[in-house]
Amino acid sequence: MTRVLVLGGSWFLGRSIVDAALEAGAEVTTFRRGKSGADAAGVRTIRGDRTAQADLQRLAAEGPWDAVLDTSGFVPRETVAVARALEPVAAKYVFVSTVSVYEGWPTEPLTDDSAVLDAPSNAGPDFGFDGDPGPSVYGFTKAGCERAVNEVFGLERAVSLRPGVILGPREYVGRLPWWLHRVERSGVVLAPGRPERSIQPVDVRDVASFALHAVSANLSGSFNLTGSGNETMEDFLRACRQAVGSDATFEWVTDENWLVAQGVAQWTELPLWRTYAGAWDVASSRAREAGFITRPLAETVVDTWRWLHSGDGAVNHERAGEQGIDPRKELEILSAWEKHKR
């Protein structure tokens, strides 16, 4: 039986990895503080803080594991400490990173071989800088975490997963939930940009499945994990309308420069809307060749709507408050757009 250690394991991707591992018959241990979220049934949970050396030593004594799957690493120097503690007792380290590690994100189309931000493995939480729209401290520090894992475990035993936007059940950021609730309110919905623009969100369960596949298939290296790009913003909003059973109509504001000039914040006020060329142009060729499979976006939408009504452990998170445009502002922009089109 495969033995896996999940760092985290109660929220969104971490919980999806736990669920998928249990379904596959693995013996699952989670390491978490226990301050938020709930422990999954059927796992062995070890309480501790990844920033406390004594807790890491206590954790390592509970090994060995076939793999550690790290969903909660954000600070390089802390990730170094975690990796060093677990290297003797874990055969592989799968680190959940992000497409934000790329120098060109989100302004340029990206591949698995695009240049990555330079961050040392001993960097602190504030390393780097926030560009507009360029690099971010988040991207720099995640890149430093990748380097930390590679240095400690070696390239043959390390995997870095670089997902784009992740959607699906238990989403705490609130992007898809906001759109579902907005479409549920019906009326005329401000739809940003061109309806035919392709988008690449990826289902959380597909990311989780590939994380475990990386263990069973003994993969190594880095892998972009994004949707196929064969679905559009119009497909997404129509799926939302069908899922909630709404009669909402969509007013497509196709002049994006005009929309930006109205003071609409990209990525948050109208979630998933971003004008930059690389935002939805990230190739996942390496992962797909290695067995990465993604489900239709409509399935993600429907399952998320069902989850929202299931009472199954929704997490209140501060980032959810950033999502969505004020209804009054939306009406004002729609009214101004009607005049602008004439």
Side-chain angles (χ1 to χ4, degrees):
M1 177 183 292
T2 302
R3 302 182 77 233
V4 298
L5 168 65
V6 181
L7 305 184
S10 64
W11 284 14
F12 200 32
L13 178 56
R15 180 57 183 271
S16 290
I17 289 174
V18 167
D19 290 347
L22 290 172
E23 186 176 347
E27 180 182 314
V28 182
T29 301
T30 60
F31 177 69
R32 51 187 297 268
R33 295 175 301 175
K35 293 184 177 181
S36 58
D39 296 320
V43 306
R44 178 177 61 146
T45 298
I46 300 173
R47 292 278 184 257
D49 190 326
R50 64 182 293 146
T51 67
Q53 191 61 37
D55 288 355
L56 294 177
Q57 292 174 352
R58 180 167 50 83
L59 172 64
E62 298 294 328
W65 293 279
D66 296 298
V68 52
L69 297 106
D70 187 353
T71 69
S72 58
F74 297 96
V75 180
R77 66 189 180 205
E78 294 172 1
T79 301
V80 162
V82 172
R84 286 174 177 165
L86 297 178
E87 189 276 333
V89 294
K92 184 174 289 291
Y93 198 118
V94 180
F95 180 74
V96 178
S97 187
T98 169
V99 294
S100 294
V101 299
Y102 288 114
E103 290 181 0
W105 168 259
T107 57
E108 304 171 5
L110 299 170
T111 71
D112 292 290
D113 298 315
S114 295
V116 173
L117 295 168
D118 188 16
S121 57
N122 63 351
D126 300 320
F127 184 87
F129 59 91
D130 288 322
D132 185 16
S136 63
V137 169
Y138 172 64
F140 276 105
T141 53
K142 278 290 196 178
C145 289
E146 287 189 16
R147 177 173 288 181
V149 173
N150 289 340
E151 287 178 356
V152 175
F153 270 73
L155 297 181
E156 294 303 314
R157 297 168 60 202
V159 177
S160 291
L161 306 181
R162 297 170 179 167
V165 172
I166 305 177
L167 302 179
R170 298 194 182 96
E171 183 202 337
Y172 61 85
V173 175
R175 295 183 176 107
L176 176 49
W178 183 84
W179 274 116
L180 285 164
H181 289 310
R182 172 61 193 93
V183 173
E184 183 188 25
R185 294 205 314 267
S186 195
V188 180
V189 177
L190 196 170
R194 297 175 291 104
E196 68 273 16
R197 168 177 282 158
S198 65
I199 60 175
Q200 296 177 291
V202 61
D203 191 289
V204 63
R205 295 161 295 184
D206 297 334
V207 176
S209 293
F210 187 76
L212 292 170
H213 175 68
V215 176
S216 62
N218 196 28
L219 302 180
S220 60
S222 62
F223 299 87
N224 294 342
L225 301 178
T226 56
S228 67
N230 296 328
E231 295 166 303
T232 66
M233 192 68 181
E234 184 174 33
D235 293 331
F236 170 71
L237 290 182
R238 284 181 173 175
C240 289
R241 182 169 59 190
Q242 183 172 355
V244 305
S246 168
D247 61 356
T249 60
F250 303 116
E251 179 63 34
W252 293 94
V253 180
T254 54
D255 188 338
E256 293 184 304
N257 291 330
W258 180 89
L259 188 55
V260 170
Q262 307 312 301
V264 179
Q266 298 185 46
W267 220 230
T268 53
E269 281 195 291
L270 293 172
L272 306 185
W273 171 59
R274 210 165 192 181
T275 59
Y276 307 117
W280 296 117
D281 195 350
V282 181
S284 295
S285 304
R286 185 180 297 158
R288 292 186 183 279
E289 290 171 1
F292 179 48
I293 299 173
T294 53
R295 70 195 67 204
L297 182 54
E299 182 178 331
T300 303
V301 171
V302 168
D303 289 350
T304 301
W305 182 244
R306 289 173 179 162
W307 165 73
L308 285 170
H309 290 79
S310 70
D312 178 25
V315 174
N316 292 321
H317 193 276
E318 59 185 14
R319 290 186 64 185
E322 302 172 356
Q323 307 302 316
I325 190 170
D326 182 272
R328 291 169 296 182
K329 183 175 181 179
E330 182 184 18
L331 286 173
E332 291 170 359
I333 292 175
L334 286 170
S335 177
W337 174 243
E338 283 301 315
K339 297 175 183 178
H340 179 75
K341 290 192 299 182
R342 296 172 187 166

